[in-house]
Amino acid sequence: MEYLWLIIAVAVVVVGGLAGLVATRGRGRRTDSPVATKDVPDVIAPAEPTVGEDAETPRDTPTRTVEDAALPTLERPEPTASRLVRLRSRLSRSQGALGRGLLTLLSRDVIDEDTWEEIEDTLLTADVGVTPTQELVERLRTRVKVEGKTAASMRDILREELLTLIDPSLDRALHVDRKDGKPGVVLVVGVNGTGKTTTVGKLARVLVAEDKQVVLGAADTFRAAAAEQLTTWGERVGVPAVRGPEGSDPASVAFEAVKTGAEQEADVVIVDTAGRLQNKAGLMDELGKVKRVVEKQAPVSEVLLVLDATTGQNGMVQARVFSEVVDVTGIVLTKLDGSAKGGIVVAVQRELGVPVKLVGLGEGADDLAPFDPETFVDALLGGADA
Ligand code: GDP
């Protein structure tokens, strides 16, 4: 009988030890951040705790400050100018068909009514929107009539008219500078799934590449992974992310983030917000509160609305709702790499009276670029260097 108890006791100890080992290894694999991955061996060793250890200073304290953890693996984000050059070909790959389609139609020997209708259809299919399409077709008709047409002149005319439609005179600069001793504050709004959190992370990299000090606010407290995702983006470039518990009040996280930014004398605080389109009143309450609370610390300098270029008319409906709820100051059009419907640039600017300031052209960390009308139109038309 005594032997039996001994065997049971030994079995319990062995099984318990194995379970502990498995749990420790599981924790070590959990993280997906390159920074954190490097930290793991420091944090979890030694594997077997000793008696009385709890009374000592925690094991990870001396080895793991934010600076120590982040420095060895910090990435250097790509400078803005080289992004544009690199992404130009991606833009022409996704948008080139629209320009080529229009040029082919306009190069026909005779442009009859059917051809004009086809031109109209091509523009509508690319989400340019009804009114801008009609305006463009009207102007093209007039110019063809007045100026006549050769293949070369058609290309020039189309380029000019597309540029006019996109309006190069709009102010597309991001207003993210410190003002009156306070950091610039950027609120990023939009429906979940549009690429909002990714855009906040990419934007942080754009600003870090410009030597700005950035603080992130993870105020999308409703999507479980959003805060984690944002923290990882921040860690990669040494930018702190302020976050609260899951489900906590987004406004209080936003407040804390801007407070931290002010205390640290950061240049800019970028606040990710929750994008639940439950109903207009709910959204208005939530974003209104975030803005009011943030403005106790510093004025909001930009409200960027993130729209997914692949969602077409749905995206336009969302844009309308958000613009009625907050004063949107700029649009970020994501996933232009996966959509041939770049005409939405025109439609959304018209609808909201707000410029597209940034475009997302891929899932890569540096696949966000300032929107430049000339580069865009040249990509549409397959310019010499596009
Ligand atoms: P959120 O819910 O709005 O915060 O959306 P996320 O930031 O989590 O992004 C949703 C998905 O869109 C992710 O898989 C991103 O990688 C992807 N995404 C974001 N921006 C772009 C882009 O410009 N191009 C492409 N192809 N994918 C993107």
Side-chain angles (χ1 to χ4, degrees):
M1 196 62 190
E2 270 170 22
Y3 278 116
L4 194 59
W5 281 116
L6 199 63
I7 289 165
I8 290 172
V10 168
V12 165
V13 168
V14 169
V15 170
L18 277 177
L21 209 65
V22 169
T24 311
R25 282 168 166 249
R27 268 201 303 280
R29 268 202 309 268
R30 185 194 56 83
T31 173
D32 51 4
S33 142
V35 174
T37 308
K38 265 210 128 207
D39 287 336
V40 170
D42 288 343
V43 179
I44 60 174
E48 287 166 11
T50 52
V51 177
E53 195 178 37
D54 284 353
E56 296 173 11
T57 321
R59 270 169 295 173
D60 54 352
T61 305
T63 53
R64 195 169 190 257
T65 63
V66 169
E67 287 81 4
D68 287 348
L71 271 178
T73 48
L74 278 194
E75 292 174 20
R76 189 189 293 267
E78 185 178 5
T80 310
S82 82
R83 278 164 201 258
L84 268 176
V85 174
R86 182 173 56 82
L87 295 174
R88 195 174 294 181
S89 60
R90 209 170 285 178
L91 200 55
S92 56
R93 260 204 308 277
S94 63
Q95 308 304 318
L98 169 59
R100 279 196 305 276
L102 290 174
L103 275 179
T104 308
L105 290 167
L106 286 166
S107 309
R108 284 184 182 168
D109 289 340
V110 180
I111 308 183
D112 56 14
E113 280 312 307
D114 285 349
T115 307
W116 285 116
E117 235 167 71
E118 279 183 70
I119 291 172
E120 219 172 273
D121 288 347
T122 307
L123 290 163
L124 289 174
T125 309
D127 280 344
V128 172
V130 176
T131 314
T133 294
Q134 283 167 351
E135 275 177 30
L136 178 63
V137 169
E138 216 35 60
R139 291 175 66 103
L140 289 173
R141 272 176 183 263
T142 309
R143 288 193 66 172
V144 169
K145 215 181 284 170
V146 175
E147 298 170 37
K149 70 182 214 46
T150 62
S153 73
M154 279 325 299
R155 193 177 191 287
D156 290 346
I157 288 174
L158 186 58
R159 185 177 189 279
E160 273 175 40
E161 292 303 334
L162 285 171
L163 260 182
T164 306
L165 210 58
I166 293 171
D167 195 352
S169 69
L170 293 176
D171 173 17
R172 295 175 200 273
L174 284 180
H175 300 287
V176 293
D177 291 321
R178 281 179 72 78
K179 212 171 156 199
D180 304 327
K182 307 257 176 70
V185 178
V186 182
L187 289 189
V188 180
V189 304
V191 174
N192 279 342
T194 52
K196 203 164 35 67
T197 305
T198 308
T199 296
V200 174
K202 287 176 175 174
L203 180 57
R205 297 174 71 94
V206 169
L207 298 173
V208 166
E210 292 170 6
D211 287 329
K212 294 204 189 298
Q213 281 228 33
V214 182
V215 170
L216 301 177
D220 182 355
T221 57
F222 292 92
R223 190 161 66 85
E228 195 62 38
Q229 205 178 319
L230 208 61
T231 306
T232 304
W233 275 103
E235 280 175 343
R236 290 170 65 176
V237 285
V239 164
V242 175
R243 53 194 280 189
E246 197 183 322
S248 60
D249 179 16
S252 75
V253 177
F255 179 86
E256 280 305 318
V258 179
K259 185 159 171 266
T260 304
E263 284 165 1
Q264 297 186 358
E265 300 189 359
D267 294 299
V268 51
V269 182
I270 314 174
V271 180
D272 189 16
T273 61
R276 297 171 308 155
L277 240 189
Q278 67 288 63
N279 60 56
K280 199 171 132 190
L283 189 71
M284 197 176 290
D285 278 354
E286 198 164 290
L287 288 180
K289 189 171 166 200
V290 167
K291 191 156 186 272
R292 269 196 315 281
V293 163
V294 160
E295 287 191 324
K296 290 183 181 166
Q297 296 283 340
V300 171
S301 34
E302 283 277 0
V303 179
L304 296 179
L305 171 64
V306 179
L307 283 184
D308 177 340
T310 64
T311 56
Q313 280 310 305
N314 246 342
M316 292 300 296
V317 174
Q318 294 166 11
R320 229 168 278 145
V321 172
F322 274 92
S323 72
E324 286 166 14
V325 170
V326 274
D327 286 333
V328 176
T329 58
I331 296 154
V332 183
L333 211 50
T334 58
K335 311 188 194 178
L336 258 186
D337 54 308
S339 160
K341 304 190 164 200
I344 194 166
V345 168
V346 174
V348 74
Q349 286 191 164
R350 280 293 178 96
E351 179 73 30
L352 307 192
V354 167
V356 172
K357 292 192 170 180
L358 295 162
V359 285
L361 284 159
E363 295 194 80
D366 290 324
D367 292 346
L368 180 78
F371 178 72
D372 174 54
E374 303 226 354
T375 308
F376 185 72
V377 171
D378 285 338
L380 285 180
L381 297 177
D385 55 352

